[in-house]
Amino acid sequence: PPPVYSLDGLLAFSLLLVCTCAHLRKVPRLRTWLLSEKRGLWGVFYKAAVIGTRLHVAVAVSCVLMAFYILVLK
C-alpha cells in the first residue's frame, strides 16, 4: 500500500474512509453508535458516510481508478 504522506496515499486513504463509513452506515447498530454525531472528530465519519452514499457512483469509479493506478501504473 502507498504511504499516507504522499498524495496518492492520501487519496487512497480518503477513498477507503469514505467507502468504509458508507458501508457502516447500512448497519443499524453501528449507525447509531458511530455515525450519529455530526460535529467534532466523530463528525468526520458521519460526513464521509454522507459523501459515500450520495456520490456512490463517483466514489466507486474513483476506487476502481485508484486500484488501477496502484496495481498497474505505480
Side-chain angles (χ1 to χ4, degrees):
V4 178
Y5 53 82
S6 65
L7 180 62
D8 55 347
L10 186 62
L11 286 173
F13 177 77
S14 61
L15 279 172
L16 287 172
L17 179 73
V18 167
C19 291
T20 303
C21 289
H23 284 292
L24 289 179
R25 191 172 183 182
K26 301 292 182 186
V27 180
R29 222 176 259 251
L30 290 176
R31 183 177 187 171
T32 58
W33 179 69
L34 184 65
L35 301 172
S36 62
E37 189 66 35
K38 296 181 181 177
R39 290 193 221 154
L41 179 64
W42 294 107
V44 174
F45 299 121
Y46 171 79
K47 291 174 185 175
V50 169
I51 290 170
T53 54
R54 290 187 183 169
L55 299 174
H56 61 278
V57 174
V59 171
V61 169
S62 300
C63 286
V64 169
L65 290 175
M66 181 57 78
F68 178 78
Y69 171 74
I70 289 174
L71 292 174
V72 177
L73 297 178
K74 191 161 183 181

